[in-house]
């Protein structure tokens, strides 16, 4: 296995610290030397270079972001933790299941396409225990599915997972305290074209309108929670706007499901769209097989 060292990286040249010595100000130089030794330990990219020239101290730091050794050290500690986690995964998962991972190296055949929110608190692999190869996972702000006529990277993932990987289940998972849904519910009037977030969450406009019509008597926080679930069902309807998805659902070779993870009390609700009693044209939907895990 190759070992990386600072000299392998040539994009940003190393910082050069030049130390000059004179008996007149030896104490100052020695103190500076100690400070630089501390920097060396926390940032090995520094290079010390001796000189016989008269006393002065120069240090080139072309990138101000690396001038704060404390910040660099903190970042290094974060990646040290990631390194530890990766090596633990390799030892406890990869090497213990080597045959399985060698099979995955040749191809994937997941049973699920999961569309979940990008929120850091709701990773589907953690909450639902998906293992490598089990689920093709797409994450975006507010776990939204745009209609067929409004293509996005989510649409590309749908095409690949459905037509190439031949997944049998699509699961759209929403969650409590969703910032994307809150941004959607806070919108009033025209969409701000300068905001990427608002231009994206407007995909859930029908969920917002439905919430305002049916839950206007609730507090704003309660309306947001209502919309979190309503937007899931609207996304399930939007999935039917993709011809190759609707065809498979109609034939019974694919099912589309909704899920809601409440991380406040750690519960999960799951349901399945009833295709025969739903209509993407009218916006009417019906669900079945609702279960509650707690």
């Amino acid at each position: 296995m190759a070992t990386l060292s600072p000299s392998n990286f040539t994009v940003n040249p190393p910082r050069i610290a030049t130390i000059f010595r004179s008996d007149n100000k030896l104490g100052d130089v020695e103190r500076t030397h100690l400070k630089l030794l501390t920097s060396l330990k926390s940032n090995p990219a520094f290079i010390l270079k001796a000189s016989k020239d008269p006393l002065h101290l120069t240090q080139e730091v072309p990138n101000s972001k690396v001038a704060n050794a404390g910040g660099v050290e903190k970042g290094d500690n974060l990646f040290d933790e990631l390194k530890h986690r990766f090596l633990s995964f390799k030892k406890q998962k990869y090497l213990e299941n080597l045959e399985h991972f060698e099979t995955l190296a040749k191809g994937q055949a997941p049973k699920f396409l999961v569309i979940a929110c990008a929120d850091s608190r709701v990773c589907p692999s953690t909450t639902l225990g998906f293992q490598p190869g089990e689920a093709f996972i797409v994450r975006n702000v507010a776990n939204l599915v745009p209609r067929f006529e409004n293509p996005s990277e989510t649409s590309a993932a749908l095409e690949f997972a459905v037509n190439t990987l031949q997944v049998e289940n699509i699961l759209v998972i929403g969650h409590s305290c969703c910032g994307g849904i809150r941004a959607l519910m806070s919108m009033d009037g025209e969409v701000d074209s300068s905001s990427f977030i608002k231009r994206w969450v407007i995909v859930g406009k029908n969920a917002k309108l439905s919430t305002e019509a049916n839950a206007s008597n609730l507090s704003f926080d309660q309306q947001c929670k209502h919309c979190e679930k309503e937007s899931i069902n609207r996304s399930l309807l939007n999935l039917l706007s993709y011809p190759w998805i609707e065809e498979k659902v109609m034939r019974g070779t694919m099912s589309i499901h909704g899920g809601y993870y409440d991380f406040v009390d750690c519960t999960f609700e799951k349901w399945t769209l009833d295709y025969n009693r739903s209509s993407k044209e009218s916006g009417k939907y019906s669900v079945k097989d609702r279960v509650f895990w707690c």
Side-chain angles (χ1 to χ4, degrees):
M1 181 179 296
T3 301
L4 297 178
S5 65
S7 60
N8 295 125
F9 300 91
T10 58
V11 176
N12 294 315
R15 273 64 61 197
I16 298 176
T18 305
I19 295 179
F20 305 91
R21 177 168 179 167
S22 170
D23 293 335
N24 294 335
K25 298 184 180 180
L26 180 58
D28 293 338
V29 174
E30 287 178 342
R31 284 193 293 272
T32 305
H33 193 170
L34 289 174
K35 291 180 181 178
L36 286 171
L37 285 177
T38 302
S39 297
L40 277 170
K41 292 178 181 178
S42 61
N43 188 356
F46 277 95
I47 296 175
L48 290 179
K49 184 169 133 184
S51 172
K52 295 181 181 180
D53 293 344
L55 172 67
H56 58 279
L57 179 63
T58 60
Q59 181 175 334
E60 293 180 15
V61 186
N63 188 345
S64 59
K65 292 183 180 181
V66 301
N68 186 342
V72 173
E73 184 177 358
K74 183 178 180 181
D76 288 344
N77 289 339
L78 289 174
F79 280 95
D80 284 343
E81 173 63 22
L82 293 184
K83 173 186 175 182
H84 173 73
R85 295 181 191 181
F86 171 73
L87 294 178
S88 296
F89 159 77
K90 182 175 182 179
K91 180 180 179 180
Q92 299 171 11
K93 298 287 187 179
Y94 183 87
L95 293 178
E96 290 292 328
N97 301 276
L98 188 57
E99 184 177 348
H100 173 63
F101 282 97
E102 288 177 341
T103 300
L104 289 179
K106 300 174 184 176
Q108 59 175 324
K111 299 297 183 183
F112 286 91
L113 163 61
V114 176
I115 300 171
C117 186
D119 193 302
S120 64
R121 301 167 290 183
V122 295
C123 177
S125 294
T126 299
T127 55
L128 297 179
F130 286 117
Q131 299 301 306
E134 291 184 343
F136 189 83
I137 299 178
V138 181
R139 300 181 68 176
N140 62 45
V141 173
N143 45 270
L144 297 172
V145 177
R147 289 182 57 84
F148 177 76
E149 57 268 23
N150 300 310
S152 69
E153 63 276 10
T154 300
S155 307
L158 286 170
E159 181 180 12
F160 179 71
V162 172
N163 295 334
T164 301
L165 298 180
Q166 301 289 313
V167 297
E168 298 173 358
N169 297 276
I170 301 178
L171 173 61
V172 180
I173 306 175
H175 68 91
S176 58
C177 307
C178 181
I181 294 299
R182 196 174 189 87
L184 171 66
M185 289 298 298
S186 299
M187 291 176 61
D188 186 19
E190 295 295 323
V191 177
D192 181 2
S193 61
S194 65
S195 170
F196 289 111
I197 294 176
K198 292 181 179 180
R199 286 163 58 187
W200 167 249
V201 297
I202 197 63
V203 169
K205 179 180 179 180
N206 287 337
K208 178 180 186 294
L209 295 176
S210 175
T211 297
E212 291 173 340
N214 297 296
S216 59
N217 60 315
L218 301 179
S219 68
F220 182 73
D221 287 344
Q222 291 174 322
Q223 287 184 38
C224 287
K225 185 165 187 175
H226 183 282
C227 190
E228 287 164 358
K229 294 184 178 182
E230 181 68 14
S231 69
I232 298 169
N233 288 319
R234 295 292 171 171
S235 284
L236 299 185
L237 281 179
N238 285 350
L239 285 171
L240 295 178
S241 68
Y242 295 78
W244 19 272
I245 291 180
E246 183 174 29
E247 180 182 358
K248 289 176 179 288
V249 173
M250 185 171 54
R251 293 204 317 256
T253 58
M254 173 183 286
S255 297
I256 54 181
H257 316 270
Y260 182 80
Y261 170 48
D262 189 333
F263 59 71
V264 175
D265 56 11
C266 197
T267 58
F268 195 94
E269 190 177 355
K270 177 264 174 190
W271 60 91
T272 300
L273 183 73
D274 188 342
Y275 173 74
N276 293 323
R277 302 176 67 180
S278 302
S279 171
K280 64 179 185 295
E281 286 81 12
S282 65
K284 174 186 175 182
Y285 63 83
S286 178
V287 301
K288 60 183 181 180
D289 302 332
R290 187 184 294 270
V291 293
F292 193 74
W293 305 332
C294 60

